[in-house]
Amino acid sequence: MKTRILIAEPSQVIVEGLKAILGKPTRFSLLSPVPNLDDIESHITALKPDIVIANPTLAHDAGAMLQSQGVKTAALLYQYVEPWRLNTFDLVLDIRQSAGTIVEHLVQLAERNPEQDGPRKITNYDLTKRETAVLIEVARGLTNKEIAEKMNVSVHTVISHRKNIMHKTGIKSVAGLTVYAMLNNLIEE
């Protein structure tokens, strides 16, 4: 049985990109997209989607409102969004993720049983545990040398981890990595 996906997004470019990515696997059935959340309840009632992919900035509490309709929710990020807006979504997808990663995470969400699996997890580009640890320290403002001393590794190793993090996330600045760490609840605001 195909997973029925409804996209709530005002940008036609983003919608077409998602259609191109999600239209390939036979696992998904894409429903007619809606540009806003004004009448999303009637669309959910009529179309009965399994997952709604929504722009989290469309409403103050978009995730909670969508979940109250009994559907699984995925926030689609392509700009900075305050972390509190993401807390009520089941999944957070980032436009910089590969097509395969987006599909994989949506498949996992479709198969997920919230009662058994517990709270949602924000996707994090498949960073290793060490890369995540380095990212946290970078976000806290530590230098490469300070991170190396704290983790008992060489400065060269820290630099390698930072290069890997930047490659995987596509984020090149410390400020951007800090925002990424905050969005993924790796550090407190």
Side-chain angles (χ1 to χ4, degrees):
M1 184 173 177
K2 291 185 177 184
T3 300
R4 299 170 52 85
I5 296 180
L6 176 65
I7 301 169
E9 168 60 51
S11 169
Q12 188 65 32
V13 171
I14 301 295
V15 170
E16 292 303 319
L18 282 172
K19 284 181 179 180
I21 291 170
L22 302 178
K24 291 177 186 175
T26 57
R27 171 142 182 109
F28 301 121
S29 172
L30 298 177
L31 307 171
S32 297
V34 294
N36 57 54
L37 295 180
D38 293 341
D39 55 349
I40 192 76
E41 292 177 31
S42 63
H43 281 82
I44 290 173
T45 302
L47 301 173
K48 301 193 182 343
D50 300 304
I51 298 173
V52 175
I53 300 174
N55 180 326
T57 64
L58 291 178
H60 177 71
D61 58 349
M65 186 274 292
L66 292 169
Q67 285 184 341
S68 72
Q69 300 298 310
V71 296
K72 295 174 183 173
T73 59
L76 181 65
L77 295 180
Y78 53 89
Q79 62 192 26
Y80 174 76
V81 175
E82 299 88 351
W84 60 266
R85 286 188 183 266
L86 304 174
N87 289 337
T88 55
F89 284 88
D90 295 309
L91 173 69
V92 177
L93 298 171
D94 193 297
I95 199 167
R96 295 169 296 214
Q97 291 172 309
S98 71
T101 300
I102 289 173
V103 168
E104 178 184 328
H105 288 300
L106 286 170
V107 167
Q108 290 172 358
L109 177 60
E111 294 172 350
R112 185 172 157 250
N113 182 347
E115 288 85 32
Q116 292 175 348
D117 296 343
R120 69 174 182 85
K121 287 175 68 177
I122 294 178
T123 58
N124 66 358
Y125 298 100
D126 302 322
L127 298 177
T128 66
K129 289 180 182 179
R130 284 301 244 187
E131 290 167 346
T132 302
V134 168
L135 173 62
I136 291 167
E137 300 308 329
V138 167
R140 289 182 176 152
L142 273 62
T143 65
N144 289 343
K145 184 178 178 186
E146 292 169 330
I147 296 169
E149 290 172 359
K150 185 172 184 176
M151 296 178 73
N152 295 319
V153 296
S154 72
V155 173
H156 177 73
T157 300
V158 172
I159 292 170
S160 293
H161 285 314
R162 285 183 70 159
K163 285 180 184 177
N164 291 340
I165 293 165
M166 289 178 178
H167 175 74
K168 288 180 179 181
T169 64
I171 301 170
K172 305 294 182 208
S173 69
V174 173
L177 291 173
T178 302
V179 169
Y180 173 81
M182 289 171 50
L183 287 174
N184 286 282
N185 299 319
L186 298 175
I187 59 170
E188 296 293 320
E189 291 185 60

